[in-house]
Amino acid sequence: MMFIRAYVFFLGVLATLFLGWAALTFIPGIQIKEIKPLPGLKPYTEQELRGRAIYIREGCVYCHSQQTRPEGFGVDQRRGWGRPSVPGDYVYDRPHLLGTMRTGPDLFNIGARQPSEDWHLIHLYNPRATSPGSIMPPYPWLFEEAEEAPEEFYRMQGKRVVPVPEQFKPKGKVVIATQEALDLVAYLLSLNHTYPVKAER
Amino acid sequence: MTIPLAGVILIAVAIIGGAIAMGAFIWAIRTKQFKDLNTGAYVIFDKEEPVGEMTDTTFGYPEKNNPKK
Amino acid sequence: MKSDHSIPGTEEAPELSYRILSDTSSSAPVIVFFTSAVVWLLVGTVFGLIASFKFNFPDWLGNIPALTFGRVRPAHLNSVIYGWASLGIAGLYVWLTARLCQTEVHWRRLLYISAILWNAGVLYGVVSILGGHSQGIEWLEFPKGAQTLIAMASVLLSLSILRTFYGRRVKHIYVSLWYILASVIWFPILYVIANLPFYSGVTQAAVNWWYAHNLLTVWVTPAGLAAAYYFIPKVIGRPIHSYYLSLLGFWSFALFYNWNGIHHLIGGPLPTWLISVSIVASVLMFIPVITVAINHHMTMVGHFGKLRYSPTLRFVVFGAMCYTAVSFQGSIQALRSFNEITHFTHYTVGHAHLGLYAFFTMSIFGAIYYIMPRLTKWEWPYPVLIKFHFWLVALGITLYVISMTVGGFIQGLYMNDPSHPFMDSVQVTKPYLMARSVAGVVILIGHLFFIYLFYLMIKRKGVKRVTPPWYEKAEEYVR
């Protein structure tokens, strides 16, 4: 008798887990699979994917979201963060980087909102150089230091000098962006979903 | 906006599942599965650690009972 | 009940010999699990403190890539979840299953292998995260190799627990055992499904948060509840108030809690019906939570004075009350109007720590304080240090939760007010983030007392536990 009860118990236990799984992931997955990428959404380039990998490596997702909320729910549109995001915006995202914290602003459309490469490079080198009061970490290892010299000198070598303000850069040196910094910025600039949502269904 | 098919399936599954669970519950009551339920609460006690005695007195023990350990 | 393992001198009380046998047989593996857990507690606490300080002093240690917030924060989360919490749960489950089945632990060797694999997996995973090899998914950052080790370890643990259950000598399956059995079946399945490499886009987000919330459903919460259902009645010497309520509580918990996960994505790019389903399930959680609260409260009523005598009772009752609190809070913050303010803020972090620390971790502390003397047959030296531990962490977590809850709520209000630039929402949280760091220091000090006590217990520096003579013979009877 008790033998039968134990089996019933285990069956019930498995049923509750799989019911939840079916409801929350399996069935929505089928529903979402029908959704095509929006026409304005372009796949990531090689460089942008490298940059995305650095975004993941440095854990940017723990402070920044990449999802804009619906109209009237929060004030994302009134902050100029973009139209509400939809599933078709994320088709090429693997892994997803939707994020659950806004210690820093949402980045879904940061490429549209802040298109300046220099701004991003300075900001990554030390966020407080562009944004006083910011608590974002600095990423100096994405940059190199070199002896002070005219920018021309480095540009002819194919190196990108970052115009970091005087009080934030090491004395007598210039800050040069590494490939990683350029890749990360390329990724950030690709975050531009201002193309319209095509009416579906 | 039309209700998605997925939602209909889920609601149907939930109703059927709930009906099965309800039926199992009523069956269990009728066949007296729950008869010994309240005795189950006592299985954690035994002769040396019976009901009425604290089993953890690391900070000391009340004088009235549990004079051992 | 006929037994081929009763110890001479205990024929009159066979269930007594089973208790000695179960404790003796579980002793070594449980001590291994608990010791590992305690080490990860220290590691995880330090990481958490570093992460918190980084918000107060963003340029501190700013040249060290391994310690940047974006790496230290997931290192903290993964060490405390898969290290401290999981290994503490493993130890609790092994000990409690043997006790409640009134038998020895079966397949003990699997447990030693499990402990090795689990620790190896967590170590590999945490080092990978700090070294920049995270997979980028919250709660699932570990690389595939580490995840495989943990999956294997959890399967071995489950096999031992289920085999022990199969060899049980009891007719009745106590309520804590329902939670344990469900948990050891649910967790490996959940972990494997979540880690399959098939997902991308918003589907992956759904899987991600189905997983992360279900980790609480199938792993963390059952352990805390199993502990509460056992230790509260066991310590005060009084059975659980209502078994019927326990039954209702378990099945409504199993059914509703599994559907909560998408409440982490309210307002996000997912089908509205999916989000609504999770909000409804989150509110329905009131049912199991209230039944548990009533049950535990009615069991304690008239016996609150006993809190003076038992450290286990203090920790577990504190934990159980916080379970009620965090669950009510969770149900409220799943409502759209509330969520609009608190989503994306530190409020969520406060909620997470109310659950994982004030409820779960406090419960495991209580469990360890009860279990270790019975395994080592030694009393805790310097009980006054236990009091220091309790008060420091109780005050610490209270400060933590209040600062993050209030600070997060204010942050949300500023975020939703477009007349304030975004940076204002950051500025306004700074004092609260500082308070959280202070709370973290207090908690760390509390942990140092606990770790010191645990170390002394392992080294048997206290007083030998008074036990009947045939306790010593129990070793011979354990396979």
Side-chain angles (χ1 to χ4, degrees):
Chain A
M1 200 64 223
M2 187 197 49
F3 188 69
I4 296 173
R5 283 223 292 261
Y7 267 153
V8 167
F9 170 82
F10 288 129
L11 251 131
V13 156
L14 284 170
T16 51
L17 182 71
F18 281 109
L19 264 173
W21 166 80
L24 265 51
T25 69
F26 185 63
I27 292 177
I30 296 176
Q31 191 180 2
I32 291 171
K33 225 195 330 221
E34 301 160 1
I35 293 186
K36 310 260 179 302
L38 295 182
L41 180 69
K42 296 188 283 292
Y44 295 110
T45 65
E46 278 290 320
Q47 185 189 31
E48 288 160 6
L49 284 176
R50 286 197 308 263
R52 195 169 198 270
I54 296 168
Y55 186 99
I56 291 168
R57 181 184 82 195
E58 304 301 346
C60 306
V61 72
Y62 300 108
C63 288
H64 291 283
S65 60
Q66 286 184 26
Q67 47 170 305
T68 35
R69 293 199 280 188
E71 201 87 43
F73 192 68
V75 296
D76 293 12
Q77 283 73 46
R78 286 156 72 189
R79 288 201 179 280
W81 286 355
R83 57 151 175 86
S85 56
V86 297
D89 288 317
Y90 299 96
V91 173
Y92 301 120
D93 282 15
R94 205 175 183 183
H96 82 90
L97 292 169
L98 286 179
T100 50
M101 288 290 283
R102 285 178 174 176
T103 314
D106 181 86
L107 299 180
F108 190 59
N109 283 300
I110 191 65
R113 212 156 63 240
Q114 181 49 271
S116 158
E117 272 189 45
D118 275 351
W119 185 92
H120 283 291
L121 287 167
I122 300 172
H123 183 239
L124 286 169
Y125 179 75
N126 189 330
R128 284 151 285 291
T130 61
S131 318
S134 166
I135 59 175
M136 173 167 145
Y139 296 94
W141 54 89
L142 298 178
F143 300 87
E144 286 165 349
E145 293 170 7
E147 287 309 311
E148 185 86 56
E151 199 213 324
E152 262 295 310
F153 173 66
Y154 287 111
R155 199 166 357 119
M156 288 200 304
Q157 298 175 30
K159 293 191 179 178
R160 172 77 174 265
V161 173
V162 181
V164 178
E166 206 45 56
Q167 64 267 49
F168 288 101
K169 71 179 170 77
K171 290 248 173 311
K173 298 263 167 92
V174 290
V175 174
I176 295 178
T178 63
Q179 189 59 44
E180 287 198 333
L182 297 170
D183 291 347
L184 179 54
V185 172
Y187 168 66
L188 292 172
L189 292 180
S190 79
L191 293 176
N192 183 335
H193 301 88
T194 52
Y195 52 82
V197 178
K198 206 163 158 224
E200 284 202 298
R201 294 196 286 142
Chain B
M1 188 175 126
T2 58
I3 302 169
L5 179 65
V8 172
I9 294 176
L10 263 176
I11 292 173
V13 166
I15 291 178
I16 293 172
I20 294 176
M22 199 56 161
F25 188 63
I26 293 172
W27 166 82
I29 292 181
R30 276 162 131 221
T31 57
K32 297 191 184 9
Q33 298 292 337
F34 293 144
K35 190 165 56 153
D36 58 354
L37 248 193
N38 270 319
T39 61
Y42 291 84
V43 298
I44 61 175
F45 301 103
D46 55 45
K47 269 203 184 143
E48 198 196 37
E49 295 182 343
V51 173
E53 285 195 3
M54 287 186 72
T55 59
D56 177 30
T57 49
T58 305
F59 289 153
Y61 42 86
E63 279 71 35
K64 277 197 236 129
N65 41 337
N66 251 4
K68 62 183 168 94
K69 285 216 187 74
Chain C
M1 195 176 295
K2 187 157 133 53
S3 145
D4 47 3
H5 281 282
S6 62
I7 300 173
T10 67
E11 288 86 352
E12 282 179 22
E15 69 276 5
L16 170 56
S17 69
Y18 303 145
R19 176 155 55 79
I20 301 159
L21 281 173
S22 73
D23 283 2
T24 312
S25 71
S26 64
S27 176
V30 172
I31 292 178
V32 167
F33 278 126
F34 279 163
T35 307
S36 318
V38 170
V39 170
W40 286 111
L41 178 70
L42 181 60
V43 169
T45 309
V46 169
F47 283 149
L49 209 47
I50 294 176
S52 189
F53 285 158
K54 288 279 188 168
F55 274 163
N56 311 126
F57 310 108
D59 290 306
W60 175 60
L61 301 180
N63 279 317
I64 305 177
L67 293 181
T68 189
F69 179 82
R71 299 192 201 185
V72 159
R73 192 264 199 199
H76 162 71
L77 187 148
N78 284 273
S79 324
V80 294
I81 293 290
Y82 299 109
W84 155 247
S86 295
L87 293 165
I89 293 171
L92 171 69
Y93 281 179
V94 171
W95 180 81
L96 196 50
T97 303
R99 273 258 179 144
L100 293 174
C101 293
Q102 291 182 7
T103 184
E104 311 96 86
V105 173
H106 286 72
W107 293 356
R108 277 203 301 181
R109 248 165 292 203
L110 295 189
L111 295 175
Y112 300 125
I113 302 173
S114 173
I116 293 171
L117 294 177
W118 211 307
N119 276 292
V122 180
L123 181 62
Y124 172 32
V126 168
V127 168
S128 298
I129 291 174
L130 294 177
H133 300 286
S134 160
Q135 286 210 73
I137 306 160
E138 288 188 65
W139 297 72
L140 291 168
E141 290 92 343
F142 280 175
K144 286 273 173 277
Q147 291 172 340
T148 310
L149 289 171
I150 293 175
M152 293 195 307
S154 87
V155 168
L156 293 177
L157 171 71
S158 301
L159 286 174
S160 167
I161 301 258
L162 291 170
R163 175 63 183 89
T164 304
F165 171 70
Y166 183 75
R168 66 194 174 282
R169 293 199 181 95
V170 287
K171 269 183 127 143
H172 201 96
I173 306 174
Y174 187 68
V175 53
S176 296
L177 202 48
W178 309 337
Y179 285 99
I180 295 173
L181 295 171
S183 182
V184 298
I185 292 173
W186 277 330
F187 175 69
I189 299 174
L190 175 76
Y191 194 67
V192 168
I193 293 180
N195 281 316
L196 296 173
F198 307 142
Y199 317 112
S200 63
V202 296
T203 316
Q204 187 183 35
V207 173
N208 187 174
W209 293 104
W210 164 76
Y211 167 77
H213 201 93
N214 258 14
L215 196 59
L216 308 178
T217 307
V218 312
W219 192 233
V220 175
T221 308
L225 294 178
Y229 271 116
Y230 184 77
F231 290 116
I232 292 178
K234 186 67 173 160
V235 167
I236 68 177
R238 190 179 183 225
I240 277 289
H241 172 72
S242 163
Y243 228 48
Y244 287 94
L245 276 183
S246 319
L247 194 67
L248 171 66
F250 176 77
W251 285 110
S252 56
F253 170 90
L255 194 53
F256 301 149
Y257 211 11
N258 266 298
W259 290 52
N260 277 23
I262 310 303
H263 68 211
H264 294 263
L265 289 162
I266 296 172
L270 284 166
T272 316
W273 69 261
L274 174 60
I275 295 177
S276 301
V277 147
S278 275
I279 295 177
V280 167
S282 304
V283 174
L284 282 174
M285 284 306 291
F286 271 115
I287 297 172
V289 170
I290 290 179
T291 57
V292 166
I294 293 175
N295 226 347
H296 290 152
H297 180 80
M298 293 305 287
T299 308
M300 279 298 293
V301 147
H303 297 262
F304 280 99
K306 298 199 161 100
L307 287 166
R308 245 188 314 173
Y309 307 110
S310 162
T312 295
L313 198 61
R314 289 190 196 188
F315 279 101
V316 172
V317 166
F318 185 100
M321 289 181 174
C322 291
Y323 171 67
T324 308
V326 73
S327 304
F328 282 4
Q329 182 193 35
S331 300
I332 304 288
Q333 84 193 69
L335 300 171
R336 282 198 166 87
S337 45
F338 201 88
N339 191 274
E340 187 178 359
I341 301 169
T342 61
H343 192 35
F344 298 129
T345 70
H346 300 296
Y347 188 96
T348 310
V349 177
H351 174 74
H353 286 79
L354 181 57
L356 283 156
Y357 195 93
F359 160 50
F360 170 78
T361 293
M362 295 297 268
S363 302
I364 296 291
F365 284 146
I368 291 178
Y369 278 121
Y370 191 89
I371 297 172
M372 286 301 283
R374 287 152 183 81
L375 299 183
T376 59
K377 302 195 191 86
W378 220 260
E379 300 290 356
W380 291 102
Y382 319 129
V384 69
L385 295 185
I386 305 180
K387 291 186 185 178
F388 286 173
H389 171 210
F390 176 78
W391 285 108
L392 283 167
V393 298
L395 287 169
I397 193 59
T398 303
L399 177 60
Y400 189 114
V401 171
I402 292 178
S403 62
M404 291 292 90
T405 301
V406 172
F409 195 83
I410 295 177
Q411 179 191 10
L413 290 174
Y414 272 75
M415 256 204 273
N416 282 346
D417 183 351
S419 69
H420 280 282
F422 178 83
M423 191 53 91
D424 284 1
S425 76
V426 176
Q427 287 297 107
V428 89
T429 56
K430 285 187 182 177
Y432 298 98
L433 293 172
M434 185 60 80
R436 189 262 296 271
S437 290
V438 170
V441 172
V442 172
I443 289 174
L444 173 65
I445 298 174
H447 287 176
L448 292 175
F449 280 112
F450 170 65
I451 294 166
Y452 179 56
L453 277 167
F454 191 90
Y455 167 76
L456 292 178
M457 170 62 86
I458 301 282
K459 301 286 264 184
R460 293 195 174 48
K461 282 273 187 283
V463 171
K464 197 174 189 315
R465 202 168 155 77
V466 173
T467 55
W470 24 255
Y471 266 65
E472 314 306 318
K473 303 197 67 144
E475 277 290 351
E476 304 168 25
Y477 291 84
V478 171
R479 249 176 288 110

